[in-house]
Amino acid sequence: MVERTGDPGSASDAEGVAEALDRPLPEGVRRRVVALVADAFGGLTVTELPAQLRQYARFTPTRRAKFAGNAMAAAVESDPVFRQRIAGRLRETQTELAEAIESGSPPAAADPVDVAALAYVLRPAGWVKLVEAAGEEAQRASAERAGEEAERELRRLREELA
């Protein structure tokens, strides 16, 4: 996936600088992107939606995420105009976080998955690093949970033996 970053006509765009993910979105980030798109989707008119998504225009955000999640994720990835429309809606609904991400200084207290999902849709300079950092954080948290679970199981087995 290759996507130009920044505003149209910005210096980085003029130089042809592009950022790209070298692996799929982390699953948690992907789910959050789909949820954000499902929510923002309702603020668009039917004519602003890609043809493959128009049939979901009357669905609730939850039903959209459930039945059109893959189609929405694909549209955000492959349709820059749709992504920019969704990004515009997100800038209106999540103003502070969007501004912080676009300025390059997301709040340390913000959920890394939320930051990565918003960065993925907004595509400011450095968005790939935010997405990769969220993926690494999710893997670390998963490994930590697995370690804690293994430790609990070990304690349980030791108690059972005693």
Side-chain angles (χ1 to χ4, degrees):
M1 179 211 81
V2 175
E3 181 69 33
R4 294 191 186 280
T5 59
D7 297 325
S10 70
S12 64
D13 195 46
E15 295 168 7
V17 175
E19 292 186 65
L21 288 173
D22 59 354
R23 62 187 90 140
L25 273 176
E27 186 56 33
V29 175
R30 183 192 172 286
R31 281 193 305 270
R32 186 67 181 128
V33 166
V34 167
L36 288 171
V37 172
D39 287 340
F41 194 101
L44 301 176
T45 65
V46 173
T47 57
E48 292 176 316
L49 299 172
Q52 72 271 22
L53 296 177
R54 291 180 181 160
Q55 64 186 339
Y56 304 105
R58 295 180 189 234
F59 284 29
T60 63
T62 304
R63 286 180 48 106
R64 259 185 234 124
K66 181 177 180 181
F67 295 109
N70 289 338
M72 287 187 301
V76 168
E77 177 69 26
S78 64
D79 187 341
V81 173
F82 176 66
R83 184 185 51 74
Q84 289 169 357
R85 287 179 179 147
I86 294 297
R89 296 290 300 156
L90 293 175
R91 284 184 191 97
E92 294 171 10
T93 60
Q94 299 190 29
T95 308
E96 290 179 21
L97 185 56
E99 287 175 358
I101 290 170
E102 289 183 320
S103 72
S105 58
D111 180 350
V113 172
D114 289 340
V115 170
L118 211 54
Y120 179 76
V121 176
L122 297 174
R123 305 278 168 100
W127 68 271
V128 171
K129 291 178 186 170
L130 293 172
V131 171
E132 289 174 350
E136 291 167 5
E137 176 64 23
Q139 286 178 340
R140 186 200 58 74
S142 177
E144 189 174 294
R145 280 191 304 273
E148 290 170 358
E149 180 62 32
E151 193 171 312
R152 279 193 297 275
E153 180 66 12
L154 182 60
R155 268 194 307 258
R156 185 189 68 77
L157 290 171
R158 284 184 178 155
E159 288 171 4
E160 196 175 293
L161 279 173

